[in-house]
Amino acid sequence: MDFNFTKMHGLGNDMVLIDDRECRISDIHTFAQCILHRNTGVGADSLLIVRNSDIADIRMLILNIDGSEAEMCGNGIRCFVKFVIEKGIISLCEDLLARDGKHSVDFTVETLSGIKKPHAEVENGEVVSIGVDMGEPRLDCADIPVAAEGEFREKNLYSHGRRFTVTSVNTGVPHTVAFVSDAALTEVEYYGRDIEHSPIFPKRTNVDFVQIIDRENIIMRAWERGCGCTMCCGTGACASAVACILAGKTERRVNVHVEIGTLIIEWRQDNTLYMTGPAKVVCDGVYRY
């Protein structure tokens, strides 16, 4: 069976997108493992599947390399937004593709972590800017989850004998932010894999290693649950900004620098997180499954 796909990336966090509103993929978990394999498939960090929604304009399914389903993906939703607009998948965007000049569009996306509200700027049929209301961060241990009570803020956590100061936040998926003096020298895989599987995190955790530059800029390196090391993580950037703000290390608008670019995260006064960043098309193709 053949499937048309588009490969995209958000600051190096790459993903495969497929329009499957007809539900041709019967076992999404096995399919994800096959298409995401970097030697025998298309290869990417995650698979995004477009489905119809009864409660939003469109639905986004997110699958990891190991076949597990993720609640949310910050870089993924930006790529998803660009994909569904430029492919004319949702009807409210169809007329924008034929217009000259610059126009904006807002719509809703159903995810496992709730309904998200992206905003896109479309110029001459191409999405040139994407912002996403990521909702409110959850800080209570029961909501992350962490096997503790209250909030898990600036706690000591040991990995391979090294002590980290960490804060855990749920920004659609569970994240644990570890403050480090030099993100470039931190062995992300060595410590990230260990912290992900710590028994204190009953549903495992994503791990973000953060270096503070100044009150408006931080550097982040990401270990993603179910994926491994990735060049960028949107929900991780949100969690990192929240952890830095709570610790009094930055202002409420933070530039999160990753390997090949920057995400802008703003924790607004209404308690919502707003993420702005790019999304790029790599190629289109046909995958024979």
Side-chain angles (χ1 to χ4, degrees), residues 4-279:
N4 293 323
F5 73 86
T6 296
K7 185 169 180 177
M8 303 181 68
H9 78 89
L11 295 175
N13 183 193
D14 59 344
M15 51 212 68
V16 174
L17 293 94
I18 292 179
D19 179 5
D20 190 42
R21 287 172 292 168
E22 296 180 356
C23 298
R24 296 170 63 215
I25 306 172
S26 57
D27 182 351
I28 59 174
H29 308 286
T30 301
F31 183 87
Q33 289 178 299
C34 294
I35 196 171
L36 295 178
H37 196 288
R38 292 194 181 272
N39 299 106
T40 59
V42 176
D45 292 324
S46 57
L47 168 67
L48 306 183
I49 299 175
V50 182
R51 289 277 173 88
N52 290 317
S53 172
D54 294 326
I55 58 175
D57 293 309
I58 205 74
R59 182 183 178 196
M60 176 175 70
L61 303 183
I62 309 159
L63 285 300
N64 297 315
I65 290 175
D66 64 0
S68 61
E69 191 169 359
E71 298 93 334
M72 182 54 188
C73 177
N75 290 314
I77 195 168
R78 295 198 316 278
C79 291
F80 185 88
V81 167
K82 183 176 176 71
F83 179 77
V84 297
I85 291 176
E86 293 184 354
K87 296 293 186 183
I89 289 173
I90 51 178
S91 57
L92 61 88
C93 297
E94 288 177 350
D95 65 325
L96 294 178
L97 302 177
R99 295 188 201 173
D100 293 329
K102 193 170 185 177
H103 312 277
S104 62
V105 59
D106 298 89
F107 57 98
T108 55
V109 180
E110 179 188 353
T111 73
L112 282 182
S113 69
I115 295 176
K116 305 303 177 185
K117 301 174 182 178
H119 172 86
E121 296 292 333
V122 181
E123 188 169 359
N124 300 326
E126 180 182 356
V127 175
V128 295
S129 176
I130 304 164
V132 183
D133 181 343
M134 298 289 284
E136 299 184 4
R138 289 177 285 174
L139 299 171
D140 190 271
C141 285
D143 295 328
I144 296 171
V146 181
E149 295 183 353
E151 295 182 359
F152 204 69
R153 289 171 52 178
E154 297 180 74
K155 301 291 187 180
N156 289 332
L157 184 68
Y158 289 85
S159 174
H160 296 300
R162 177 175 173 178
R163 180 176 63 84
F164 290 94
T165 300
V166 306
T167 294
S168 291
V169 186
N170 189 312
T171 52
V173 290
H175 280 272
T176 296
V177 179
F179 295 105
V180 296
S181 58
D182 192 332
L185 296 179
T186 302
E187 298 175 78
V188 173
E189 181 174 1
Y190 182 64
Y191 294 111
R193 187 187 304 276
D194 184 56
I195 294 172
E196 175 195 351
H197 293 281
S198 170
I200 199 170
F201 304 114
K203 292 188 176 180
R204 299 183 292 158
T205 186
N206 298 276
V207 189
D208 309 296
F209 298 93
V210 171
Q211 175 187 347
I212 309 297
I213 303 302
D214 55 39
R215 293 195 61 80
E216 295 180 345
N217 296 276
I218 64 176
I219 297 172
M220 181 193 75
R221 296 292 179 264
W223 173 266
E224 291 198 50
R225 176 188 64 171
C227 289
C229 292
T230 59
M231 296 178 72
C232 182
C233 177
T235 54
C238 291
S240 296
V242 168
C244 290
I245 294 163
L246 288 174
K249 298 178 184 292
T250 65
E251 304 299 331
R252 294 185 72 92
R253 187 177 188 274
V254 184
N255 300 308
V256 182
H257 301 282
V258 295
E259 289 186 51
I260 61 170
T262 304
L263 289 174
I264 301 171
I265 308 298
E266 182 181 2
W267 193 3
R268 295 177 168 176
Q269 294 301 321
D270 63 0
N271 199 38
T272 60
L273 291 161
Y274 197 81
M275 174 188 63
T276 305

